[in-house]
Amino acid sequence: MVPVMISQGEFGERVKARKEGKLDEWKPKVEIKKPPKTLNEWGKKNGERIAGAKQLPYGMMDNAKFLSLQPNQIKTDSSPSHMDTKQLFSLYKTFTGGGKVEIMNGYTPKSDHKDLLTIARYFAQKGDKVQITTDIHFKDEIYRDVFGRLEGTPYERKCPDLIINGKYYEYESFMKPFKKRKMANMISHGTKQSSRIIINNNKGVVDRYIHRNILERLKDKNFKYDIDEVWLYEKGKVKRIF
């Protein structure tokens, strides 16, 4: 893994654009369009391993425009995968607009089961495909079918609670009694499972406080994880805060 970090100045501009609701219009002043030198060197040293791989990295097609190959030159395995031959999820409910909720076979309900169902319905009602997962040992062959895309990332061997349109999300709740500092703990614990987290905010902690906690972690040099999305679950409703 070769990290390419946003500069502190541009990070501040991005936060400002998001607060003003103009994040879609924001563009970085400097874009990295070539693979870092260390990545190229790694590729040369591991050429035989790469050539022997059974399938291409998950993100290659998404980043084809930055590769020397064109999309139609990238060969993919057209044979059925384990995901095609095994029924890993069962349909729970469908919604108008094409949204649906699926639950992983062998699912073991947790204490936050009702919350997960409510959150899943929220996204499915918007037309999203939502899958509720269950904990599974990373050595289990099914792990790769469900969580295989986490391999090679900081979340390898983890089991995020939800898969929404192919992206992994972790839901974090708290043990009673609630204390304000538990909000920071939920953010910290959640980001160790996924870069996209949904936090139980039924006690109504103000957005400003939560925002500050998120930014403090992103600025912390010792913080190993990334934060792409943060959603708040508040009394049956879900809203995005970051």
Side-chain angles (χ1 to χ4, degrees):
M1 301 297 291
V2 181
V4 181
M5 304 298 293
I6 187 172
S7 68
Q8 187 172 356
E10 289 205 310
F11 175 76
E13 293 178 5
R14 183 182 185 279
V15 172
K16 182 180 178 182
R18 182 180 52 73
K19 287 182 177 180
E20 295 175 351
K22 299 179 180 179
L23 189 57
D24 292 338
E25 302 173 12
W26 179 84
K27 298 293 181 184
K29 294 178 181 178
V30 178
E31 291 185 88
I32 306 299
K33 294 188 176 181
K34 294 183 179 180
K37 181 180 178 181
T38 49
L39 179 58
N40 288 331
E41 291 175 349
W42 185 93
K44 292 178 181 178
K45 292 180 181 178
N46 294 274
E48 292 184 4
R49 291 175 58 194
I50 295 172
K54 294 182 179 179
Q55 60 183 10
L56 295 171
Y58 176 72
M60 184 173 282
M61 289 299 295
D62 296 332
N63 296 282
K65 63 182 180 180
F66 298 136
L67 302 175
S68 59
L69 296 175
Q70 296 300 312
N72 61 0
Q73 293 177 292
I74 300 175
K75 297 180 181 180
T76 57
D77 185 1
S78 59
S79 61
S81 66
H82 288 298
M83 188 68 80
D84 298 322
T85 57
K86 297 177 183 177
Q87 185 177 354
L88 301 173
F89 292 84
S90 295
L91 181 64
Y92 173 74
K93 190 172 183 179
T94 57
F95 296 83
T96 55
K100 62 180 178 179
V101 176
E102 297 178 344
I103 297 179
M104 188 173 171
N105 293 334
Y107 174 74
T108 302
K110 303 177 184 177
S111 58
D112 56 9
H113 172 66
K114 291 183 179 180
D115 291 353
L116 287 174
L117 283 178
T118 302
I119 293 168
R121 282 195 292 266
Y122 167 81
F123 286 100
Q125 286 171 347
K126 298 195 306 174
D128 298 330
K129 177 183 178 181
V130 185
Q131 296 173 308
I132 300 176
T133 69
T134 194
D135 291 340
I136 184 170
H137 195 278
F138 72 93
K139 290 185 178 180
D140 192 311
E141 62 176 329
I142 296 178
Y143 181 89
R144 175 167 288 185
D145 294 325
V146 179
F147 301 107
R149 281 172 285 140
L150 296 176
E151 293 183 6
T153 76
Y155 315 104
E156 187 171 351
R157 301 187 180 186
K158 304 295 185 180
C159 299
D161 296 309
L162 300 164
I163 304 175
I164 304 175
N165 295 332
K167 297 179 180 179
Y168 298 101
Y169 290 75
E170 175 71 7
Y171 174 60
E172 281 292 323
S173 190
F174 56 86
M175 295 289 290
K176 297 179 180 180
F178 177 80
K179 295 181 180 180
K180 201 173 182 179
R181 63 178 174 78
K182 290 189 176 181
M183 180 58 67
N185 291 337
M186 284 190 282
I187 295 173
S188 179
H189 294 160
T191 51
K192 292 177 182 178
Q193 300 290 326
S194 175
S195 65
R196 298 175 175 85
I197 58 176
I198 303 170
I199 301 172
N200 184 324
N201 191 37
N202 281 324
K203 292 298 182 180
V205 177
V206 295
D207 292 2
R208 185 174 63 256
Y209 177 83
I210 301 171
H211 234 135
R212 187 168 71 246
N213 272 275
I214 296 170
L215 297 181
E216 286 175 353
R217 274 161 179 73
L218 290 174
K219 293 179 181 179
D220 185 351
K221 294 180 180 179
N222 296 319
F223 186 67
K224 300 178 181 178
Y225 304 93
D226 199 1
I227 302 178
D228 291 322
E229 297 177 25
V230 179
W231 296 72
L232 300 182
Y233 171 67
E234 300 174 338
K235 299 179 180 179
K237 298 182 180 180
V238 185
K239 70 174 184 180
R240 184 170 178 175
I241 190 175
F242 181 86

